[in-house]
Amino acid sequence: MTSISGRDPHTGRTIEVVIHDGIIAAINDVPSVDPVWLSQGLIDLQINGYQGFDLNADNLTSDTVVSLSRSVLATGVTTFLPTIITASEEKIIACLRAIAVARELNPELQHMIPGAHVEGPHLSSEDGPRGAHPREHIRPPSIAEFDRWQKASGDLVKLVTLSPHFDGATNYIAALRDRGILVSIGHTHASVEQIHAAVDAGATLSTHLGNGVADQLPRHSNLLWTQLAEDRLTAMFIGDGHHLPNDTLKVMLRAKGLDRAILVSDMVALGGMPPGLYKTPIGGQVELSTDGRLSLPGTPFLAGSVVPLKDAVARLAATYLSLSESLQLVTQNPARLLGRTGKVQVGGPADLIRFRWEPASGIQIESVLLQGMRVGR
């Protein structure tokens, strides 16, 4: 039996959380006003890498997956979906297998990594919507290929991002829905009618809405308005300050409502690295600028984010959401999709973060608990 205390972002009260066997056994109010906040750990549905550890590297190993997991734990992320992008089937399967092996060898990763996110390869091949995904590996959806992914990885894939413009996309979406797989719309030039058909077939998410889309769209009838208006879709947003301007993100969050919005990092291996030119499996030659923008050199196209999820939360909490509302987008909302609890509550897992927060300085993680065990520092 152990305990940890801190200030509850939702109530402002200082609480003591009592932990037994990795589960929250009791929550008690304590009289002091603790300056350190206590929250459920962050959940990130889209991580490609961090601090040089690249999930889309050639010859990915389970050791890299373990090292990456430890790195993101230090940022307050206690649950995440490793994200594999568009590649050959052989490479996708090899990456999924490496993640599966890491989970088999490390019981804590079975809890921390409930599944994988495959972003592609069934995306738009057009410049703009395609983003940094390699055109040569874009291909139509195939149930046979999906089943090979699952057979090779022990049913690891839990989320698939696709463009519903393909013939047969609705059948594919319905088949994944029947298998209990989350389907998200992204990197697409699909028509309004194709978006509606995808949702009717079972798509429930939008991947980094506002990005992975053409720069110019019709004013009224376009895929952004359709996804914002569709109440059956929960939208994932990248809140790094580069993927969406402040005004755009603010309006999109208002349109979706806080219950149907999720923040993701879309973080890549260059997160935590110094500015410069790099060659990576995602996008090839990319440029990391001093302001944290990662792009394809000489183009307006982004190549992922280098900003940890905690910093996106802090950014929103310092502008137009409260700290409590910002945390909802990275705890309760993604947890609901994964069949987990995203609240500090009795009976829930003791995946907790203790942190300091100031609008001017952001979020500073002081300690992280995974299933009640202190990790890192």
Side-chain angles (χ1 to χ4, degrees):
M1 191 86 70
T2 187
S3 66
I4 187 172
S5 63
R7 193 175 173 193
D8 184 345
H10 304 290
T11 67
R13 301 194 309 267
T14 301
I15 57 174
E16 177 194 48
V17 176
V18 181
I19 302 162
H20 181 66
D21 287 340
I23 301 297
I24 297 174
I27 301 173
N28 305 313
D29 285 334
V30 292
S32 66
V33 178
D34 198 318
V36 183
W37 299 92
L38 182 67
S39 168
Q40 195 75 5
L42 311 185
I43 299 173
D44 197 335
L45 301 183
Q46 191 170 6
I47 290 183
N48 307 278
Y50 186 55
Q51 290 188 332
F53 303 115
D54 196 337
L55 291 169
N56 290 278
D58 295 332
N59 302 314
L60 177 67
T61 67
S62 60
D63 288 342
T64 297
V65 178
V66 173
S67 297
L68 170 67
S69 301
R70 290 172 179 163
S71 292
V72 300
L73 265 175
T75 71
V77 171
T78 56
T79 301
F80 76 104
L81 297 187
T83 302
I84 307 304
I85 73 153
T86 298
S88 67
E89 180 178 343
E90 180 183 24
K91 181 175 178 180
I92 289 174
I93 285 177
C95 291
L96 291 173
R97 279 178 172 160
I99 298 166
V101 169
R103 293 177 78 250
E104 290 170 6
L105 297 177
N106 299 270
E108 69 276 10
L109 292 193
Q110 295 174 25
H111 178 75
M112 190 179 179
I113 300 176
H117 175 182
V118 179
E119 185 186 5
H122 322 307
L123 307 177
S124 172
S125 62
E126 295 185 0
D127 288 344
R130 180 172 52 85
H133 289 250
R135 189 196 307 272
E136 64 269 22
H137 293 305
I138 299 289
R139 52 190 180 272
S142 163
I143 291 296
E145 179 176 353
F146 176 81
D147 286 342
R148 290 192 290 271
W149 296 349
Q150 296 296 66
K151 182 178 180 180
S153 65
D155 294 328
L156 182 67
V157 179
K158 302 298 182 189
L159 170 60
V160 173
T161 291
L162 57 75
S163 170
H165 76 277
F166 291 99
D167 291 338
T170 54
N171 291 336
Y172 182 82
I173 292 168
L176 264 59
R177 175 204 62 200
D178 292 344
R179 288 162 167 79
I181 307 302
L182 295 166
V183 178
S184 189
I185 298 168
H187 286 282
T188 185
H189 65 276
S191 68
V192 167
E193 292 75 21
Q194 288 168 331
I195 297 292
H196 283 304
V199 177
D200 289 340
T204 57
L205 291 162
S206 299
T207 292
H208 49 53
L209 189 61
N211 300 112
V213 65
D215 189 47
Q216 300 292 325
L217 293 170
R219 280 188 304 173
H220 297 138
S221 181
N222 67 59
L223 55 85
L224 292 182
W225 287 117
T226 301
Q227 291 178 81
L228 286 169
E230 177 53 74
D231 290 339
R232 291 173 292 176
L233 288 175
T234 293
M236 296 184 280
F237 299 106
I238 302 172
D240 64 355
H242 299 290
H243 280 76
L244 294 172
N246 287 341
D247 290 347
T248 302
L249 180 54
K250 183 176 182 178
V251 171
M252 286 184 163
L253 286 171
R254 283 181 174 175
K256 292 309 297 185
L258 293 182
D259 289 338
R260 291 190 296 271
I262 291 171
L263 284 182
V264 296
S265 71
D266 195 21
M267 195 162 56
V268 298
L270 293 177
M273 305 293 280
L277 290 171
Y278 293 88
K279 187 170 184 180
T280 71
I282 301 177
Q285 185 88 350
V286 297
E287 182 176 10
L288 177 57
S289 63
T290 55
D291 65 354
R293 179 183 176 88
L294 184 66
S295 61
L296 304 182
T299 78
F301 301 130
L302 294 161
S305 171
V306 297
V307 176
L309 196 58
K310 70 178 183 67
D311 295 340
V313 171
R315 182 172 163 271
L316 286 187
T319 51
Y320 42 83
L321 293 183
S322 67
L323 178 61
S324 173
E325 290 169 331
S326 300
L327 285 168
Q328 178 186 336
L329 307 187
V330 295
T331 55
Q332 298 171 40
N333 293 358
R336 184 172 61 245
L337 294 174
L338 299 176
R340 296 189 173 190
T341 178
K343 298 180 180 179
V344 179
Q345 64 184 40
V346 174
D351 300 334
L352 303 168
I353 58 172
R354 200 166 182 267
F355 62 94
R356 294 183 181 272
W357 171 72
E358 294 291 342
S361 57
I363 287 176
Q364 308 299 322
I365 303 294
E366 291 214 341
S367 57
V368 180
L369 272 63
L370 184 67
Q371 294 182 292
M373 299 295 293
R374 193 177 298 269
V375 295
R377 62 193 75 192

